[in-house]
Amino acid sequence: MDELLSVIYELTVKMENCLIQEDFVEFDLLLNKREIMMTRVEAEKYEHLDFHYSLSDVRLLKEIYRIDKRLNPLLKGNISKTQASLTQIKKSKQISKSYQPFIQQTNGVFLDKKK
């Protein structure tokens, strides 16, 4: 169990570094790996009916939890930035589409009409 939890801890630390460096592809890969490792920990817990975490495991789990709590605001901030960027791109596309037919005109008068 110690080995699995230490791998989860290392993956969590790497995830934090990826978020700070804004390497979201690597973050996603690490998140998937961590989920697999957590599933293995859960499976091992259910295999042994009288399973209890050792003191070192508990300390490691608390540290993982603390790092994970630091990741939440970073992740939410990046999601907000992404949503704002997507909204801006959507508005730009709408504006571009509304004026696109007039770009092909070579002569004439352009009248902008409010709806």
Side-chain angles (χ1 to χ4, degrees), residues 14-15 30 32 34 50 68 98 111 113:
K14 288 179 184 178
M15 286 170 52
L30 292 170
N32 290 332
R34 188 176 83 160
D50 59 342
D68 207 40
S98 31
L111 298 174
K113 181 178 172 184

Side-chain angles (χ1 to χ4, degrees), residues 11-12 14-15 18 24-39 68 71 75:
L11 289 172
T12 306
K14 288 179 184 178
M15 286 170 52
C18 287
F24 302 116
V25 174
E26 183 68 21
F27 176 81
D28 190 42
L29 293 173
L30 292 170
L31 186 63
N32 290 332
K33 287 180 185 177
R34 188 176 83 160
E35 184 179 355
I36 291 168
M37 298 307 289
M38 291 172 123
T39 304
D68 207 40
L71 292 179
L75 195 56

Side-chain angles (χ1 to χ4, degrees), residues 56-74:
S56 63
D57 289 345
V58 171
R59 280 190 221 116
L60 198 55
L61 285 169
K62 285 182 180 180
E63 183 61 28
I64 290 169
Y65 181 74
R66 196 169 26 249
I67 293 171
D68 207 40
K69 282 293 186 185
R70 286 195 311 245
L71 292 179
N72 280 339
L74 289 172

Side-chain angles (χ1 to χ4, degrees), residues 1 7 9 20 31 39 53 57 69 93-94 104 114:
M1 183 63 77
V7 170
Y9 174 77
I20 291 169
L31 186 63
T39 304
Y53 288 111
D57 289 345
K69 282 293 186 185
K93 284 175 85 174
Q94 287 176 342
Q104 297 173 357
K114 288 186 180 179

